[in-house]
Amino acid sequence: EPEVTQTPSHQVTQMGQEVILRCVPISNHLYFYWYRQILGQKVEFLVSFYNNEISEKSEIFDDQFSVERPDGSNFTLKIRSTKLEDSAMYFCASTGDIREQYFGPGTRLTVT
Amino acid sequence: QKEVEQDPGPLSVPEGAIVSLNCTYSNSAFQYFMWYRQYSRKGPELLMYTYSSGNKEDGRFTAQVDKSSKYISLFIRDSQPSDSATYLCAMIMSGGSNYKLTFGKGTLLTVNP
């Protein structure tokens, strides 16, 4: 069964460093998303991506964040200068049918 | 007022019990209603979704939507220890172009053998 994959599973970085989180969505899907979940809090929408461009971004998704689909299979989230408050689980999701978004296992980002 | 509210629990039931999980929402533009299951430190897994008002059944799971009350429910019959997880409700608005999910905080369920 197709699934969304994410790497790495856990990333530890120092404050101010750049990180890139990688996702491989399900191959025939057209809509891609990043969500995050701070420990003990709800899953929050960050950004949606369709037709090679951002279709919507949340208030959290400021200039420090960027997304890219560099090669037609990978979907990446870059945080340019990490802050302590960026520590969270980051989930990639994809869908071909808007009613069924499939999530990856997540990347746990720890900023020290 | 938060867009989607969900009692975080925790909820603890004996094996075989019927479980009722609920969410309320404030925005009448929500049209698609999902239930996800999330095991500790894993990604959300889609259980089922409903569109607009009504019921939907899938095995031991039944989802209900009452749009007039802005209230959705998930019932689990004959609950099993393997059902122990956090259950997240999530919603999508109609008329948008990106179909982002808006989540509740999740209810932690433990089914005791």
Side-chain angles (χ1 to χ4, degrees):
Chain A
E1 186 173 322
E3 58 181 15
V4 177
T5 59
Q6 290 185 244
T7 54
S9 57
H10 188 195
Q11 173 89 47
V12 181
T13 189
Q14 289 190 326
M15 198 165 52
Q17 295 297 303
E18 174 183 288
V19 295
I20 297 176
L21 311 183
R22 292 183 167 80
C23 168
V24 179
I26 295 172
S27 63
N28 61 344
H29 284 182
L30 300 175
Y31 297 86
F32 312 108
Y33 306 84
W34 284 100
Y35 294 84
R36 80 171 185 189
Q37 186 176 32
I38 294 171
L39 189 63
Q41 298 189 23
K42 61 173 66 176
V43 177
E44 301 174 286
F45 167 77
L46 289 178
V47 66
S48 57
F49 194 85
Y50 171 71
N51 201 24
N52 283 320
E53 60 183 21
I54 291 173
S55 52
E56 184 172 344
K57 56 187 180 180
S58 72
E59 292 175 354
I60 303 165
F61 195 89
D62 62 21
D63 291 345
Q64 294 301 311
F65 291 86
S66 62
V67 290
E68 198 175 39
R69 190 157 158 79
D71 57 11
S73 61
N74 292 284
F75 180 48
T76 62
L77 174 69
K78 183 193 290 186
I79 310 175
R80 265 181 272 281
S81 179
T82 50
K83 306 182 187 70
L84 293 175
E85 55 264 36
D86 294 328
S87 295
M89 284 289 287
Y90 287 81
F91 295 108
C92 172
S94 71
T95 184
D97 174 341
I98 62 164
R99 297 160 293 186
E100 298 184 351
Q101 285 187 30
Y102 293 93
F103 282 73
T107 293
R108 182 155 61 105
L109 177 65
T110 302
V111 182
T112 61
Chain B
Q1 185 179 12
K2 294 177 184 174
E3 278 197 299
V4 180
E5 302 223 35
Q6 185 175 9
D7 185 342
L11 183 61
S12 181
V13 302
E15 184 175 353
I18 296 174
V19 176
S20 172
L21 304 165
N22 311 293
C23 289
T24 59
Y25 63 95
S26 57
N27 194 331
S28 57
F30 287 125
Q31 291 288 338
Y32 293 96
F33 304 92
M34 286 71 178
W35 286 96
Y36 283 82
R37 178 173 61 197
Q38 186 177 27
Y39 293 110
S40 181
R41 295 188 179 273
K42 302 291 185 186
E45 172 196 5
L46 180 64
L47 286 175
M48 57 197 306
Y49 69 86
T50 51
Y51 172 69
S52 197
S53 284
N55 292 2
K56 186 173 184 178
E57 189 172 317
D58 184 0
R60 296 184 294 109
F61 298 87
T62 299
Q64 286 186 351
V65 174
D66 181 349
K67 290 199 74 181
S68 63
S69 303
K70 297 191 178 69
Y71 188 88
I72 70 170
S73 302
L74 178 71
F75 298 95
I76 307 173
R77 288 185 300 281
D78 187 25
S79 54
Q80 303 295 309
S82 57
D83 295 328
S84 298
T86 296
Y87 288 80
L88 311 173
C89 64
M91 305 177 188
I92 295 177
M93 289 188 194
S94 63
S97 60
N98 67 80
Y99 314 114
K100 67 180 182 183
L101 289 164
T102 301
F103 282 88
K105 198 171 181 182
T107 300
L108 177 61
L109 171 67
T110 301
V111 181
N112 301 298

